[in-house]
Amino acid sequence: MTAGDTASVPRIDPARSACVLIGVDTYESLPDLRSVRRNVEDLDRALGDPGIWGVPDDRRWVVPNPRTPGELTGPIREAVEKAEDTILVYYAGHGLLELDDELHLALPASKHGWGETSLAFSVLRGLLLEARGSVKRRVVVLDCCYSGKALGEMDGEETVPRRRQIEIEGSYVLTSTTERERAHAPLLKTHTAFTGALLDILQQGDPGHGERETLTLNQIYRLLKDSFAIRQPPLPAPQAQDQNGVGDLPFIRNCPRPANHVPIPSRWSRLRLLLAGAGILLTGAGLGVGTTLGWERHASQPRDFPGSCGSQDRAVLLDVSDRLDESGTNEYNGTAIEQLSALALTGEGTEAIAVRDQGGTHVFRLTLGREAPHTLRPEVRHQPRTLYTPEGRDFPKFDGEGLVIERDGRTILVSEERGPSIRRFRLSDGRQLGEPLPLPKVFRPPPAPGGRADGTRNLESLTATPDGKHLFAGMEGPLLGDDGKSGAHRVRIQSYRGESGSHYTPSIQYGYPTDQGYYLTELIAVDDTRLLALERGYMNGLGSGVRVYKVDLDGATNVDGQILDTGHEDRLVDKELLFDLASCPPGDLKKRQGQPNPLMENVEGMALGPPITGTYRGRRALYLVADNNSRPRYQSTRIYSLAVRLP
């Protein structure tokens, strides 16, 4: 059908259509798929954008991490009742081929080989075929491994001359792969390969054919194939099946005008909106979405805080503030408030202390806001304190990275990277008290005798148990000889025993495994056997990655004097993901240079607050702080607050 032909054919009507977007990003037995959540969010926003398709808010359903088949199919049944023109269903997650050689859509608890733990595509097919009497067209989009198995599953409808395509029922299936290929979800990418390309087309249209006012599903499919054909290395080619001419109906607007656009922060949001409005079913294999359990209608406006950071509902992002970058609050009596690398709560309401690294030896006392953690309004109200040697002299070089406020509130412990060292300071005048705490020889960089540490990724984190009887000091990077696999690192955590404000002696040394491309940046002691660990990574073009893990030290091996090379995984502590900051809602934050995800920043510090009352009762407040590296034009001195669920 030519452009002239489509001009006389009615467009798929978004006002009379409905779409259901399903994403599974978190799994108990299968690898997590962190990019799936952004797939669904950005696609929902795109499909709801009047400049792209324009499906109303009450006709779009977002289904993140459905735990049971009923949680997945329930929203589809409701959408079918509402749709009169087209029903569009999108799935992104793991696709499994079970013993019956049938495509199964994975759920969070699915296990390969246990077909009863996932949803057979035939069940979804039957549900959509039952809808033939109430909707004219059904569109399915699958972004998952082996999704090509769905092609042909929607057969059984009489093929009729194209001139009658508007009056009859039909279907369109678009898949990310063939029936024997795996889908592609690049590590640290915002979206999966297939959905990312689809979002680009929805947002940018077909610039090579600007005379077209609309694009059809078949035209979108051809653009996808062309996009994948030039990729290096080659990726699986998308597949499509058109029944009764649905693929030739005018669908979305081509090259939507910016004036018509609702702000769309990412490709995932754009695609989510487009699919919801068209009523197309997208199926995705090998992908998953990390959002709250259950399903919900998703509004087209940008999401505000609070918002869940993953399907397990372990963390909720309450607020984010860049206020310390604003004129009038970014300095105090001429001292710049920047390069904050550690944060600790004083125990007096929402007051906290932060340490500056590299650019000076300042300690800032600040308040996080009267309504923190629900609403952040950070402000420095006191003259910053400078840290001095025991003799009252300036340190020639000092790189403060970790911070502990001791129980009497009069002294602090600060770990610094350049030494490295752990020193005690009196808050009243900033002077060092006594000698630094003893450190293992291997924590020092060469040429110090026995030193095996990296001078630039050294002693980064410090925390104390609530009773002050245990300290934990963490290295950011591995020691010489402690080799991990494929960019993952094995780093050391040194524990101490003693009394707050008094002496500490070294105790057990632990081995901690970081994720690929990540380093250990901060620790929080929940008690003497449980920690929270903050991992951070950065890659040019992909931005920062920030993850917080729960760490269990109970029964862990003392690795003092041992090498943590490959083959000794049993020497490492156990960890479990609490949340990935990239899975939290981005809101309307300003995107900084080098951060494709506007939520992400150079997070270095973390502080655990008291139990929260009200809506998030039973959770603890958790605060994060980002170091701007004295580059306020490109990085932010940002503070985050979250409500986290701990055992």
Side-chain angles (χ1 to χ4, degrees):
M1 182 177 290
T2 66
D5 295 330
T6 60
S8 60
V9 177
R11 177 172 169 239
I12 296 177
D13 186 0
R16 300 172 62 245
S17 297
C19 57
V20 180
L21 308 180
I22 305 157
V24 184
D25 71 292
T26 302
Y27 295 87
E28 297 176 7
S29 301
L30 303 172
D32 289 344
L33 297 166
R34 55 178 294 185
S35 54
V36 166
R37 178 172 185 250
R38 292 298 299 273
N39 278 9
V40 174
E41 291 175 350
D42 292 349
L43 187 56
D44 173 60
R45 199 167 280 157
L47 295 178
D49 185 347
I52 298 177
W53 194 18
V55 178
D57 294 350
D58 63 351
R59 288 175 174 264
R60 302 198 317 275
W61 283 258
V62 173
V63 188
N65 294 305
R67 304 293 300 182
T68 66
E71 288 186 11
L72 188 153
T73 58
I76 297 175
R77 291 184 181 276
E78 186 171 345
V80 165
E81 293 180 0
K82 198 133 188 174
E84 303 159 277
D85 188 308
T86 299
I87 174 74
L88 182 153
V89 180
Y90 167 90
Y91 171 86
H94 281 297
L96 305 174
L97 289 183
E98 297 299 359
L99 297 178
D100 56 4
D101 200 36
E102 181 181 356
L103 175 65
H104 285 239
L105 308 181
L107 304 174
S110 293
K111 293 183 179 181
H112 185 65
W114 295 26
E116 70 277 11
T117 64
S118 56
L119 180 73
F121 180 74
S122 60
V123 175
L124 183 58
R125 168 187 176 274
L127 179 62
L128 291 172
L129 291 180
E130 289 176 6
R132 284 186 295 180
S134 57
V135 295
K136 291 182 178 180
R137 289 167 284 273
R138 295 160 304 287
V139 181
V140 176
V141 181
L142 299 174
D143 188 0
C144 61
C145 297
Y146 320 120
S147 51
K149 289 289 289 184
L151 300 177
E153 290 292 318
M154 299 296 288
D155 284 345
E157 304 168 23
E158 178 188 3
T159 300
V160 300
R162 181 165 293 176
R163 64 178 180 271
R164 293 186 54 204
Q165 62 190 13
I166 299 173
E167 289 78 21
I168 67 165
E169 297 176 333
S171 66
Y172 196 89
V173 181
L174 179 63
T175 71
S176 59
T177 70
T178 66
E179 64 178 30
R180 295 297 174 187
E181 290 183 294
R182 300 176 64 87
H184 194 56
L187 184 67
L188 299 181
K189 287 287 188 180
T190 303
H191 306 106
T192 61
F194 173 79
T195 298
L198 177 57
L199 283 166
D200 284 342
I201 295 170
L202 297 181
Q203 176 69 9
Q204 302 169 15
D206 183 4
H209 294 83
E211 75 282 358
R212 295 173 176 164
E213 293 186 2
T214 60
L215 292 179
T216 67
L217 285 164
N218 279 332
Q219 288 165 343
I220 292 173
Y221 166 61
R222 285 191 285 271
L223 289 170
L224 282 169
K225 288 194 67 174
D226 292 344
S227 170
F228 277 61
I230 62 175
R231 300 248 185 141
Q232 292 296 331
L235 295 177
Q239 306 292 308
Q241 179 180 335
D242 182 8
Q243 287 287 327
N244 296 334
V246 175
D248 286 330
L249 295 177
F251 178 32
I252 64 167
R253 300 186 187 280
N254 185 31
C255 298
R257 296 180 297 248
N260 292 336
H261 276 202
V262 175
I264 296 174
S266 62
R267 292 187 307 182
W268 157 254
S269 301
R270 298 195 303 270
L271 180 55
R272 181 172 128 193
L273 293 178
L274 172 62
L275 294 181
I280 298 175
L281 172 63
L282 303 183
T283 59
L287 308 176
V289 178
T291 52
T292 55
L293 295 177
W295 56 274
E296 60 179 345
R297 292 187 181 91
H298 198 306
S300 60
Q301 66 269 21
R303 284 170 49 174
D304 296 324
F305 314 121
S308 178
C309 301
S311 65
Q312 300 298 320
D313 201 29
R314 293 170 177 166
V316 174
L317 182 62
L318 299 177
D319 198 13
V320 180
S321 176
D322 292 337
R323 189 170 185 268
L324 294 179
D325 280 342
E326 298 173 2
S327 177
T329 60
N330 58 1
E331 66 175 25
Y332 191 98
N333 289 343
T335 301
I337 304 169
E338 59 182 7
Q339 292 187 283
L340 305 186
S341 61
L343 187 71
L345 300 180
T346 66
E348 301 175 8
T350 61
E351 299 229 339
I353 291 177
V355 169
R356 177 176 177 173
D357 68 358
Q358 295 190 28
T361 54
H362 297 117
V363 173
F364 299 93
R365 188 171 186 125
L366 56 113
T367 177
L368 300 176
R370 293 178 58 185
E371 299 179 6
H374 300 87
T375 302
L376 292 173
R377 190 174 175 80
E379 181 179 1
V380 174
R381 295 181 176 177
H382 305 276
Q383 182 64 40
R385 175 64 63 196
T386 302
L387 301 181
Y388 299 103
T389 67
E391 299 76 26
R393 300 191 183 98
D394 290 333
F395 285 97
K397 291 182 179 180
F398 193 89
D399 186 5
E401 298 288 357
L403 171 66
V404 167
I405 302 175
E406 299 202 271
R407 295 191 72 192
D408 61 5
R410 299 177 181 178
T411 56
I412 59 174
L413 295 171
V414 179
S415 63
E416 62 105 3
E417 196 169 33
R418 290 182 182 271
S421 69
I422 302 174
R423 303 171 188 263
R424 177 177 282 117
F425 296 93
R426 187 167 51 213
L427 276 176
S428 60
D429 58 8
R431 287 201 180 192
Q432 178 182 326
L433 299 176
E435 295 296 319
L437 271 61
L439 285 175
K441 291 181 179 180
V442 294
F443 278 30
R444 303 186 184 281
R452 293 170 46 205
D454 183 338
T456 62
R457 294 192 184 277
N458 208 308
L459 199 60
E460 183 78 12
S461 54
L462 186 67
T463 184
T465 55
D467 60 10
K469 295 183 178 181
H470 300 267
L471 289 179
F472 298 92
M475 302 289 284
E476 182 179 15
L479 301 180
L480 181 65
D482 289 352
D483 298 323
K485 294 181 178 179
S486 304
H489 304 292
R490 299 175 178 198
V491 302
R492 308 274 176 143
I493 298 174
Q494 179 65 52
S495 69
Y496 292 80
R497 289 182 179 178
E499 294 291 335
S500 182
S502 185
H503 298 287
Y504 285 99
T505 57
S507 181
I508 300 175
Q509 190 176 117
Y510 301 96
Y512 178 87
T514 72
D515 289 353
Q516 183 179 13
Y518 284 72
Y519 295 89
L520 179 61
T521 304
E522 187 62 286
L523 294 169
I524 290 178
V526 180
D527 54 37
D528 58 352
T529 62
R530 294 182 300 162
L531 304 176
L532 297 183
L534 172 66
E535 296 185 25
R536 185 198 63 210
Y538 181 83
M539 185 176 294
N540 286 333
L542 299 177
S544 296
V546 178
R547 298 172 182 174
V548 175
Y549 283 90
K550 297 183 292 183
V551 181
D552 185 4
L553 303 178
D554 190 24
T557 301
N558 187 348
V559 299
D560 189 12
Q562 301 182 22
I563 299 295
L564 300 180
D565 55 1
T566 55
H568 294 96
E569 285 75 12
D570 56 329
R571 297 176 179 175
L572 306 177
V573 300
D574 294 327
K575 69 176 188 178
E576 179 184 357
L577 183 66
L578 180 60
F579 69 90
D580 186 329
L581 193 62
S583 296
C584 301
D588 294 322
L589 295 173
K590 178 181 178 181
K591 184 182 292 187
R592 299 279 177 157
Q593 178 174 318
Q595 298 291 352
N597 183 342
L599 182 65
M600 308 306 290
E601 263 298 351
N602 182 42
V603 176
E604 289 203 6
M606 180 168 62
L608 186 63
I612 300 176
T613 60
T615 303
Y616 300 104
R617 183 176 181 179
R619 299 173 184 259
R620 298 280 296 274
L622 184 70
Y623 299 94
L624 307 178
V625 63
D627 177 2
N628 74 343
N629 288 317
S630 292
R631 304 172 71 234
R633 291 183 58 190
Y634 308 112
Q635 293 180 280
S636 174
T637 303
R638 176 171 291 173
I639 294 181
Y640 308 75
S641 64
L642 301 100
V644 297
R645 192 186 302 280
L646 301 179

